[in-house]
Amino acid sequence: MGIVAGLDSTPDSTRIVVCDTDTGAVIRQGYAPHPLEGTPGGSGEGGRPSDVDPQVWLLSLGEAAAGGVLEGVEAIGVSAQQNALVPLDQQGATIRPALVGGDRRAQIAAADLVEALGGREAWAQAVGCVPQAANPVAKLRWLAANEPEAAQRVALVLQAHDWLVWQLLGRPLRRTTDRGGASGTGYWSAATGGYRPDLMEMALGRQAALPDVLGPAEAAGTTPEGLLISAGTGGTMAAAFGLGIGLGDAVVSLGASGSVMAVHREALADPSGMITSLADATGMHLPVVHTLNAVRTLRGTAEMLGLPDLDALSALALKSTPGAHGLVLLPYLEGERTPHLPHTAGTLAGLRREAMKPEHLARAAVEGMLCGLADALDVLRGRGVEVRRVFLLGAAADLPAVQASAPSLLGAQIVVPQPAEYAALGAARQAAWALGVSRGTLDPRTPPTWPGATGQVHDPGEELAVGQAVRQQYAVVREQTHPGAFAG
């Protein structure tokens, strides 16, 4: 059929992959960092600014596409960072820089919204997610409270991939988004497939226009040059599509914080609010459970032990044995979202003289992190989500101690994928799908068959019982320290 491109705009850079439409084979790639110098500061995660001029995304895109990267391409899919709020006025101009990332300024706004609707369960039932500082709905509330003049000028609200698609199409009258991006806003429900204008008004104080929500295989439009632009989607959904995960698969992401997600046939309304009910890029659903503490647990332990890096921590942990001689670390160092313990701290239990050795603490940190993520995985399993295979992502996924413990603690086959631009690949696959549907060669219900991710495979095997014992040891300490944390 030809070639298509996937564009992934992250908080730091733009990456482009150009792929064969039939096979998914990567033909060319492009890359450019965002020119962020002089961007106003904020209070985002990892020291990144929370206010970003969207024009830097376009400048980066142009640089990444330089040198003929997009030559011969017939369709483009766009993936972009989630939760970036782009407020536009009546003429389509940005009112202020985009609010991006986990903007800590919006934490109070998020809490106010939760209370205003009647609690976490009310939000979970309404739109499948409880507002956090990162969600656009919380950022709108912050904008209304702190920049009321700007808030009064808001006529249209877009996210990053919506805005980029709109720009690529030449800023047409129709503005679009997709199910995946819409499902994280806090004012669109994956269960009903509709917006909640009342929640938008609760946040902003009045109504504003929102983009049309396209189906997975629909095209957002065609450029004057005849280039088809697909619906686009958020980075999480694009990465899942690029990995090729399906029913029975889960993804465990090891960042400073952690997340567990899986493909499911239906939206999950979770009264506890622990599950965020997102839509995926294929027409199905992507329930996600977040933990606040993953690799930060390992880094903190490495610092405590005077170790230079995580590789040294991993090597030390392997000198211990499963169960860490009875040491149990509840890794709730920043409070925790799963279980909902926002004001707690970490706990080290099981201190006996024979256990007080550096290697046992190192092992307890690795096991504590993985047990916390296994708890999150069990939240999904408890709602009927099947998990037979887990894709383990993030830099810590390569640590030997993590790979040795993960299969038995997570209770599934573990795949550590080869490094690749999975979000850009997912965007390219979406472009190929929309192109095929537009030509009548693909079914709008069935995406193109591209090879899934390959990588190291680790099975629990005979270690499964050992892992269950370690998890039981962890669960006893968790229940003694925080009784009923997972009740209901």
Side-chain angles (χ1 to χ4, degrees):
M1 286 173 58
I3 58 174
V4 292
L7 182 163
D8 180 37
S9 181
T10 74
D12 302 310
S13 63
T14 299
R15 297 181 184 274
I16 298 174
V17 297
V18 175
C19 300
D20 181 276
T21 309
D22 293 324
T23 67
V26 176
I27 299 167
R28 294 189 295 272
Q29 299 191 54
Y31 166 82
H34 292 330
L36 288 179
E37 294 83 358
T39 301
S43 52
E45 294 175 325
R48 293 189 180 97
S50 294
D51 294 344
V52 175
D53 183 349
Q55 290 297 327
V56 305
W57 306 334
L58 276 184
L59 291 170
S60 175
L61 191 168
E63 188 178 340
V69 169
L70 295 179
E71 185 177 343
V73 163
E74 297 172 278
I76 294 178
V78 178
S79 158
Q81 57 181 303
Q82 286 159 238
N83 300 321
L85 181 77
V86 186
L88 304 177
D89 65 14
Q90 200 70 46
Q91 287 71 45
T94 52
I95 292 168
R96 68 175 318 283
L99 292 156
V100 302
D103 192 336
R104 296 187 182 94
R105 294 174 297 183
Q107 287 176 339
I108 293 173
D112 288 346
L113 284 171
V114 173
E115 184 177 354
L117 194 63
R120 292 164 58 82
E121 182 174 355
W123 277 95
Q125 295 289 346
V127 289
C129 69
V130 178
Q132 305 290 329
N135 296 118
V137 71
K139 290 170 178 168
L140 284 174
R141 178 80 163 204
W142 178 89
L143 189 66
N146 293 275
E147 299 179 7
E149 291 184 6
Q152 280 299 317
R153 295 171 56 207
V154 175
L156 168 69
V157 176
L158 298 180
Q159 293 189 84
H161 86 264
D162 311 337
W163 188 84
L164 283 166
V165 165
W166 185 53
Q167 296 292 327
L168 289 172
L169 290 171
R171 298 162 60 99
L173 287 176
R174 187 191 190 202
R175 280 70 60 115
T176 62
T177 188
D178 86 305
R179 297 170 64 256
S183 64
T185 59
Y187 41 79
W188 187 88
S189 168
T192 66
Y195 281 116
R196 287 287 302 264
D198 56 320
L199 300 183
M200 157 70 79
E201 186 166 346
M202 179 186 290
L204 187 60
R206 59 190 189 79
Q207 290 297 322
L210 293 166
D212 294 343
V213 181
L214 300 177
E218 285 187 76
T222 304
T223 69
E225 300 77 24
L227 190 66
L228 183 140
I229 309 294
S230 64
T233 194
T236 296
M237 301 78 190
F241 198 33
L243 281 165
I245 68 169
L247 293 170
D249 292 331
V251 176
V252 172
S253 182
L254 302 177
S257 54
S259 67
V260 173
M261 65 180 180
V263 176
H264 198 51
R265 293 190 186 279
E266 58 190 26
L268 295 178
D270 175 41
S272 72
M274 284 189 285
I275 297 175
T276 297
S277 187
L278 300 177
D280 79 345
T282 72
M284 291 206 287
H285 295 270
L286 202 64
V288 182
V289 180
H290 295 276
T291 71
L292 290 180
N293 303 278
V295 177
R296 62 167 41 100
T297 305
L298 305 186
R299 295 199 186 282
T301 305
E303 290 172 10
M304 178 187 285
L305 292 172
L307 299 172
D309 52 35
L310 295 185
D311 289 325
L313 181 77
S314 174
L316 186 61
L318 289 174
K319 293 180 179 178
S320 181
T321 53
H325 272 243
L327 275 190
V328 174
L329 177 63
L330 300 184
Y332 305 154
L333 308 183
E334 297 284 331
E336 190 48 81
R337 280 181 67 177
T338 307
H340 184 60
L341 299 167
H343 306 300
T344 194
T347 302
L348 184 63
L351 281 173
R352 295 184 177 84
R353 178 65 190 88
E354 62 272 17
M356 297 175 72
K357 293 181 179 179
E359 60 264 33
H360 301 323
L361 179 56
R363 182 87 184 204
V366 172
E367 292 178 345
M369 175 189 75
L370 290 170
C371 284
L373 289 161
D375 280 350
L377 203 54
D378 282 352
V379 171
L380 295 180
R381 285 175 166 138
R383 294 299 308 279
V385 177
E386 185 180 10
V387 178
R388 297 189 304 270
R389 182 172 62 164
V390 171
F391 288 82
L392 200 60
L393 304 183
D398 288 328
L399 296 176
V402 170
Q403 294 184 6
S405 301
S408 62
L409 292 178
L410 300 180
Q413 182 186 79
I414 301 295
V415 179
V416 182
Q418 296 290 335
E421 302 301 336
Y422 289 110
L425 285 168
R429 191 180 177 199
Q430 185 194 68
W433 194 5
L435 183 64
V437 169
S438 74
R439 293 176 169 175
T441 57
L442 288 177
D443 188 321
R445 297 164 297 181
T446 308
T449 302
W450 284 12
T454 60
Q456 304 173 56
V457 178
H458 305 271
D459 287 298
E462 296 178 358
E463 296 296 312
L464 186 58
V466 174
Q468 290 173 335
V470 173
R471 285 208 62 198
Q472 179 62 29
Q473 175 179 275
Y474 178 91
V476 167
V477 173
R478 186 195 65 227
E479 191 60 28
Q480 289 174 344
T481 310
H482 304 287
F486 280 104

